[in-house]
PDB file of all heavy atoms in Angstrom:
ATOM      1  N   ARG A  30     -29.288 -21.301  57.152  1.00  0.00           N
ATOM      2  CA  ARG A  30     -30.297 -20.995  58.172  1.00  0.00           C
ATOM      3  C   ARG A  30     -31.489 -20.321  57.521  1.00  0.00           C
ATOM      4  O   ARG A  30     -31.330 -19.452  56.665  1.00  0.00           O
ATOM      5  CB  ARG A  30     -29.696 -20.052  59.241  1.00  0.00           C
ATOM      6  CG  ARG A  30     -30.707 -19.653  60.301  1.00  0.00           C
ATOM      7  CD  ARG A  30     -30.104 -18.685  61.316  1.00  0.00           C
ATOM      8  NE  ARG A  30     -31.117 -18.211  62.256  1.00  0.00           N
ATOM      9  CZ  ARG A  30     -30.881 -17.284  63.182  1.00  0.00           C
ATOM     10  NH1 ARG A  30     -29.705 -16.748  63.286  1.00  0.00           N
ATOM     11  NH2 ARG A  30     -31.840 -16.917  64.010  1.00  0.00           N
ATOM     12  N   TYR A  32     -34.732 -17.974  58.168  1.00  0.00           N
ATOM     13  CA  TYR A  32     -35.270 -17.026  59.139  1.00  0.00           C
ATOM     14  C   TYR A  32     -36.789 -17.061  59.176  1.00  0.00           C
ATOM     15  O   TYR A  32     -37.376 -17.175  60.240  1.00  0.00           O
ATOM     16  CB  TYR A  32     -34.794 -15.596  58.804  1.00  0.00           C
ATOM     17  CG  TYR A  32     -33.334 -15.422  59.084  1.00  0.00           C
ATOM     18  CD1 TYR A  32     -32.391 -15.549  58.053  1.00  0.00           C
ATOM     19  CD2 TYR A  32     -32.866 -15.120  60.339  1.00  0.00           C
ATOM     20  CE1 TYR A  32     -31.036 -15.401  58.305  1.00  0.00           C
ATOM     21  CE2 TYR A  32     -31.520 -14.971  60.603  1.00  0.00           C
ATOM     22  CZ  TYR A  32     -30.608 -15.123  59.573  1.00  0.00           C
ATOM     23  OH  TYR A  32     -29.278 -14.974  59.815  1.00  0.00           O
ATOM     24  N   LYS A  98     -36.818 -16.145  53.609  1.00  0.00           N
ATOM     25  CA  LYS A  98     -35.590 -15.410  53.891  1.00  0.00           C
ATOM     26  C   LYS A  98     -34.610 -16.374  54.527  1.00  0.00           C
ATOM     27  O   LYS A  98     -34.937 -16.989  55.563  1.00  0.00           O
ATOM     28  CB  LYS A  98     -35.855 -14.227  54.816  1.00  0.00           C
ATOM     29  CG  LYS A  98     -34.587 -13.417  55.110  1.00  0.00           C
ATOM     30  CD  LYS A  98     -34.902 -12.198  55.970  1.00  0.00           C
ATOM     31  CE  LYS A  98     -33.652 -11.398  56.267  1.00  0.00           C
ATOM     32  NZ  LYS A  98     -33.934 -10.213  57.128  1.00  0.00           N
ATOM     33  N   LEU A  99     -33.442 -16.513  53.935  1.00  0.00           N
ATOM     34  CA  LEU A  99     -32.481 -17.472  54.496  1.00  0.00           C
ATOM     35  C   LEU A  99     -31.054 -17.016  54.252  1.00  0.00           C
ATOM     36  O   LEU A  99     -30.792 -16.062  53.490  1.00  0.00           O
ATOM     37  CB  LEU A  99     -32.718 -18.860  53.852  1.00  0.00           C
ATOM     38  CG  LEU A  99     -32.602 -18.977  52.336  1.00  0.00           C
ATOM     39  CD1 LEU A  99     -31.155 -19.167  51.870  1.00  0.00           C
ATOM     40  CD2 LEU A  99     -33.422 -20.162  51.837  1.00  0.00           C
ATOM     41  N   THR A 100     -30.151 -17.700  54.947  1.00  0.00           N
ATOM     42  CA  THR A 100     -28.732 -17.449  54.831  1.00  0.00           C
ATOM     43  C   THR A 100     -28.065 -18.684  54.219  1.00  0.00           C
ATOM     44  O   THR A 100     -28.354 -19.803  54.632  1.00  0.00           O
ATOM     45  CB  THR A 100     -28.105 -17.137  56.187  1.00  0.00           C
ATOM     46  OG1 THR A 100     -28.700 -15.952  56.713  1.00  0.00           O
ATOM     47  CG2 THR A 100     -26.578 -16.926  56.069  1.00  0.00           C
ATOM     48  N   THR A 101     -27.197 -18.460  53.254  1.00  0.00           N
ATOM     49  CA  THR A 101     -26.472 -19.563  52.625  1.00  0.00           C
ATOM     50  C   THR A 101     -25.214 -19.902  53.456  1.00  0.00           C
ATOM     51  O   THR A 101     -24.848 -19.149  54.334  1.00  0.00           O
ATOM     52  CB  THR A 101     -26.038 -19.190  51.197  1.00  0.00           C
ATOM     53  OG1 THR A 101     -25.129 -18.086  51.293  1.00  0.00           O
ATOM     54  CG2 THR A 101     -27.247 -18.763  50.378  1.00  0.00           C
ATOM     55  N   SER A 103     -22.303 -19.500  52.724  1.00  0.00           N
ATOM     56  CA  SER A 103     -21.337 -18.407  52.582  1.00  0.00           C
ATOM     57  C   SER A 103     -21.786 -17.151  53.302  1.00  0.00           C
ATOM     58  O   SER A 103     -21.224 -16.075  53.113  1.00  0.00           O
ATOM     59  CB  SER A 103     -21.117 -18.090  51.095  1.00  0.00           C
ATOM     60  OG  SER A 103     -22.328 -17.826  50.454  1.00  0.00           O
ATOM     61  N   LEU A 104     -22.832 -17.292  54.127  1.00  0.00           N
ATOM     62  CA  LEU A 104     -23.337 -16.237  55.006  1.00  0.00           C
ATOM     63  C   LEU A 104     -23.926 -15.066  54.231  1.00  0.00           C
ATOM     64  O   LEU A 104     -23.885 -13.906  54.677  1.00  0.00           O
ATOM     65  CB  LEU A 104     -22.270 -15.757  55.987  1.00  0.00           C
ATOM     66  CG  LEU A 104     -21.703 -16.860  56.889  1.00  0.00           C
ATOM     67  CD1 LEU A 104     -20.678 -16.256  57.870  1.00  0.00           C
ATOM     68  CD2 LEU A 104     -22.782 -17.617  57.639  1.00  0.00           C
ATOM     69  N   ILE A 105     -24.501 -15.379  53.094  1.00  0.00           N
ATOM     70  CA  ILE A 105     -25.232 -14.352  52.349  1.00  0.00           C
ATOM     71  C   ILE A 105     -26.713 -14.551  52.629  1.00  0.00           C
ATOM     72  O   ILE A 105     -27.244 -15.661  52.432  1.00  0.00           O
ATOM     73  CB  ILE A 105     -24.946 -14.470  50.829  1.00  0.00           C
ATOM     74  CG1 ILE A 105     -23.469 -14.188  50.555  1.00  0.00           C
ATOM     75  CG2 ILE A 105     -25.825 -13.536  50.031  1.00  0.00           C
ATOM     76  CD1 ILE A 105     -23.041 -14.456  49.122  1.00  0.00           C
ATOM     77  N   THR A 106     -27.357 -13.467  53.052  1.00  0.00           N
ATOM     78  CA  THR A 106     -28.790 -13.526  53.389  1.00  0.00           C
ATOM     79  C   THR A 106     -29.616 -12.863  52.280  1.00  0.00           C
ATOM     80  O   THR A 106     -29.307 -11.743  51.875  1.00  0.00           O
ATOM     81  CB  THR A 106     -29.053 -12.807  54.711  1.00  0.00           C
ATOM     82  OG1 THR A 106     -28.318 -13.444  55.754  1.00  0.00           O
ATOM     83  CG2 THR A 106     -30.550 -12.887  55.071  1.00  0.00           C
ATOM     84  N   ASN A 107     -30.593 -13.572  51.831  1.00  0.00           N
ATOM     85  CA  ASN A 107     -31.435 -13.073  50.753  1.00  0.00           C
ATOM     86  C   ASN A 107     -32.879 -13.490  50.935  1.00  0.00           C
ATOM     87  O   ASN A 107     -33.169 -14.438  51.675  1.00  0.00           O
ATOM     88  CB  ASN A 107     -30.946 -13.595  49.395  1.00  0.00           C
ATOM     89  CG  ASN A 107     -29.927 -12.684  48.753  1.00  0.00           C
ATOM     90  OD1 ASN A 107     -29.971 -11.472  48.899  1.00  0.00           O
ATOM     91  ND2 ASN A 107     -28.987 -13.286  48.045  1.00  0.00           N
ATOM     92  N   ASN A 108     -33.727 -12.787  50.244  1.00  0.00           N
ATOM     93  CA  ASN A 108     -35.140 -13.138  50.144  1.00  0.00           C
ATOM     94  C   ASN A 108     -35.347 -13.902  48.841  1.00  0.00           C
ATOM     95  O   ASN A 108     -34.847 -13.458  47.795  1.00  0.00           O
ATOM     96  CB  ASN A 108     -35.981 -11.856  50.074  1.00  0.00           C
ATOM     97  CG  ASN A 108     -37.018 -11.796  51.158  1.00  0.00           C
ATOM     98  OD1 ASN A 108     -37.437 -12.794  51.719  1.00  0.00           O
ATOM     99  ND2 ASN A 108     -37.402 -10.578  51.500  1.00  0.00           N
ATOM    100  N   TYR A 109     -36.019 -15.025  48.900  1.00  0.00           N
ATOM    101  CA  TYR A 109     -36.270 -15.832  47.729  1.00  0.00           C
ATOM    102  C   TYR A 109     -37.775 -15.977  47.496  1.00  0.00           C
ATOM    103  O   TYR A 109     -38.553 -16.053  48.440  1.00  0.00           O
ATOM    104  CB  TYR A 109     -35.631 -17.226  47.863  1.00  0.00           C
ATOM    105  CG  TYR A 109     -34.136 -17.172  47.922  1.00  0.00           C
ATOM    106  CD1 TYR A 109     -33.475 -16.986  49.142  1.00  0.00           C
ATOM    107  CD2 TYR A 109     -33.346 -17.304  46.766  1.00  0.00           C
ATOM    108  CE1 TYR A 109     -32.098 -16.941  49.198  1.00  0.00           C
ATOM    109  CE2 TYR A 109     -31.963 -17.251  46.836  1.00  0.00           C
ATOM    110  CZ  TYR A 109     -31.360 -17.055  48.048  1.00  0.00           C
ATOM    111  OH  TYR A 109     -29.989 -17.017  48.113  1.00  0.00           O
TER     112      TYR A 109
END
Side-chain angles (χ1 to χ4, degrees):
R30 178 183 175 185
Y32 290 96
K98 181 177 180 180
L99 60 83
T100 298
T101 64
S103 55
L104 302 183
I105 296 173
T106 299
N107 270 327
N108 237 336
Y109 294 87

